[in-house]
Amino acid sequence: MSSNAQKTAIKPSDAKSWTLCARRTWFDNYPPEGMIAEPDPFEQLIIDQGLAHEQAVLESLSQDKTVETAKSPEHTKQLMDAGIDVIYQAQLFDENTGIVGYPDFLLRHESGKYQPADAKLARSAEDKKEIKVQLGLYRRLLGTSLPGLVFLGNGEIQEIDDTVNPLVNEFITEMSMILESDEPPLVRYSHSKCKACPYFSICRPDFIEKDEITLIYGIDSRSAHHLEEKGISSVHGLSECDPASIPDVPYLKGFEKKRKAVFQAKSWLTGEVFKLSDFELPEGTWIHFDVEDNPLEPSGNKHVYLWGFLKPDYGANEFEYSWTDTMEEDRKGWDGFLSLIEKYKSEHSDLIIAHYSNHEVTTIKQYAERYDMFGHPIVEWLLGEETPLYDMQKPVLQNLVLPLQGYGLKDICKHKDLVNFQWEDETSGSQWSIVQFNEFQQEQDAGKREALKNAILGYNRDDVLATRKLEEWLRSMNAIS
Ligand code: SF4
């Protein structure tokens, strides 16, 4: 056994990192010198909401039951021996396996045995491996066949039973290997996971030095090792390939995909922009559109608090919107959105409502369903064959290869050699907006509320200004043959 194996125990709380990245899990347990990963404001908001949910569950469990808070593993055992109904913040430890666990609650079953329970904001544990592992491990630490309980954010209670045992075994085996290693494990780059990871600045230089092929948009761990087997193991190697000579491998099949991958590698290395084909943007009067929504709304329903538009002549003063302070006013915000669309339709017979990615269309469908309004004439028009909605991400993805690792609006617009549009508040973003909105809702001072609202409006206004700048940039790109 190496020295690391003696330093730290397997914890159910490692399950979240484990589902994301083995290397991240290692860093969590052996933090790089001088670096403790602090939660960012969005993560902190989720933590705070999770604690509020836990307290609400505790309150409801406490009614007509005995409740005690555990101070240590020994104290937990004493409380169990005393038959306390609800043991809050229980502490479990197995000397043989070195596993420690802190379930939110131990609940005394009518059989006299205890079952573990956690309060989670999630609306289902079905696709949440980390929840299954945590509850499965608590059950194992307790040595119980009773199911673990998850008090979900929507008020439902889900049971975790023996079916999660294989997943728990996998977690224990892999965690033992991770924790015994004196070096962080070698893993593939994953843009979606790495860009949001606190250890990004540590890992990124290593990936670049290695010329890691998964740095390239469109190549991920599912195809990378198959490419390696065929002798294509680096970004440089890929950039020098003839696309027609690359064999089909999982997730990289067909000439077009391979051609794009080779251009993407060249673009990453040189910064060059590749136009694969000419394209047409629809003609008409363009109005730019973007929504801000709160996925952390306590009711569990997404609340779009801001439906924003930029109309001609596209100056900052041409920003219009429908806003609501709370979920209770949600319908008012949706109606305001439909009224604005109706107004634009009457003003412009050639209306194009431009947005970036399919999020806006998905949101309109969700709201049409929520308020049973698929038969509303404006909704029918928006979702019908003659729709004025136009997703600007499509011409980008279909026709251009850019020196980027992701094709989000901000990736393209902020890039100095591409659109080069900078948001007024450079710290802003969609998660930032959610944090500001939650602060706005909590804030009692009218002046501070107004300032927070103005900051959110400014961010959304910049989003639609950005899509307008992107439109101009795409038109200029199309002028180049
Ligand atoms: S930056 Fe990526 S590879 Fe590194 S620890 Fe984070 S998720 Fe894992």
Side-chain angles (χ1 to χ4, degrees), residues 75-93:
H75 187 222
T76 302
K77 180 115 190 18
Q78 287 164 14
L79 295 174
M80 289 170 76
D81 291 342
I84 299 298
D85 293 327
V86 179
I87 302 173
Y88 180 49
Q89 295 181 338
Q91 300 185 28
L92 306 171
F93 177 56

Side-chain angles (χ1 to χ4, degrees), residues 121-123 153-154 294-303 327 370:
L121 284 176
R123 301 178 73 191
N154 58 4
N294 181 17
L296 302 177
E297 159 59 35
S299 69
N301 287 318
K302 181 166 93 174
H303 170 214
M327 188 66 191
R370 179 178 298 172

